Amino acid sequence: MSRHPITKWAQRSDRVFLTIELPDAKDVKLNLKPEGRFNFSAKGSDDLPYEFDLELFDAVDVEESKAAVAPRTICYLIKKAESKWWPRLLKKEGKPPVFLKVDWDKWQDEDDEDVGFNDFGDMDFSKLDMGGADDDDIEDDEDDAVESANKDEDGKAEESKGEEEVAHPAATAAEEAKA
């Protein structure tokens, strides 16, 4: 009997992302047909067979679809034959198989597609100077936080009047006895 690996999916109007979580997969076989049938089979690191067969909601463009096998996952970018949002991944209505989950890391609502969230295009993040802070800056920030916490509403430093709240030993012993 074969097993089903956890498979995550997300979509855009023109494509579907499938991510199959199967570390150290061997003998990976992926088959995508134009009418929307997707077959997967592989052996896991435990040499047990993993496979599933999905009937996707609509037709796909096999030639424009791409797959990548990485050490921990198998990713498949499926190009839709027609650019439109699918109401679900599978043609069959009802509850999807338990191994099929939404990929919230890649998910984007239909309304957000025009805005361009999660689509960074050709942006070069190395030019944004996103390096870490110096240790000296961190210590200065901590000192500033302590100083600002010790100021009253007018911005003046509060002075300690030498009065501290002290727990009375008798009251503490009585509370412990009740507990």
Side-chain angles (χ1 to χ4, degrees):
M1 181 172 168
S2 64
R3 299 176 178 208
H4 307 293
I6 297 295
T7 304
K8 295 180 179 181
W9 77 281
Q11 72 170 317
R12 301 291 185 277
S13 62
D14 61 338
R15 60 191 180 264
V16 172
F17 301 99
L18 275 183
T19 304
I20 303 163
E21 296 180 354
L22 187 60
D24 302 322
K26 298 178 266 190
D27 302 327
V28 176
K29 293 183 180 119
L30 301 165
N31 187 7
L32 181 64
K33 296 185 180 170
E35 66 271 8
R37 178 145 318 265
F38 177 74
N39 304 91
F40 165 81
S41 68
K43 285 188 179 181
S45 59
D46 50 8
D47 279 336
L48 292 174
Y50 288 81
E51 64 184 24
F52 62 82
D53 184 25
L54 301 175
E55 188 176 357
L56 302 177
F57 184 79
D58 207 351
V60 296
D61 185 347
V62 177
E63 297 300 318
E64 293 291 319
S65 299
K66 301 172 187 172
V69 179
R72 301 193 57 75
T73 59
I74 295 102
C75 299
Y76 212 125
L77 176 66
I78 300 172
K79 179 81 169 143
K80 295 178 182 178
E82 187 179 333
S83 283
K84 66 179 182 179
W85 285 86
W86 294 352
R88 58 189 174 276
L89 178 66
L90 304 178
K91 187 170 285 212
K92 180 181 166 190
E93 289 189 43
K95 189 174 180 181
V98 295
F99 65 89
L100 191 59
K101 303 184 182 307
V102 172
D103 190 344
W104 294 113
D105 293 334
K106 292 181 182 158
W107 189 262
Q108 186 177 48
D109 288 328
E110 186 174 356
D111 299 339
D112 294 337
E113 186 173 46
D114 294 336
V115 178
F117 290 125
N118 295 332
D119 186 11
F120 298 109
D122 296 331
M123 182 177 264
D124 184 5
F125 287 95
S126 65
K127 294 180 181 175
L128 294 178
D129 190 29
M130 296 174 67
D134 294 338
D135 290 343
D136 295 338
D137 291 342
I138 293 171
E139 289 173 9
D140 290 343
D141 290 344
E142 289 172 356
D143 292 341
D144 292 344
V146 170
E147 285 176 21
S148 65
N150 290 333
K151 291 184 180 179
D152 63 10
E153 292 176 6
D154 298 327
K156 296 177 185 173
E158 292 183 12
E159 293 181 22
S160 176
K161 296 180 178 129
E163 296 175 348
E164 295 182 16
E165 200 171 310
V166 177
H168 296 287
T172 305
E175 289 176 7
E176 288 177 3
K178 288 181 185 176

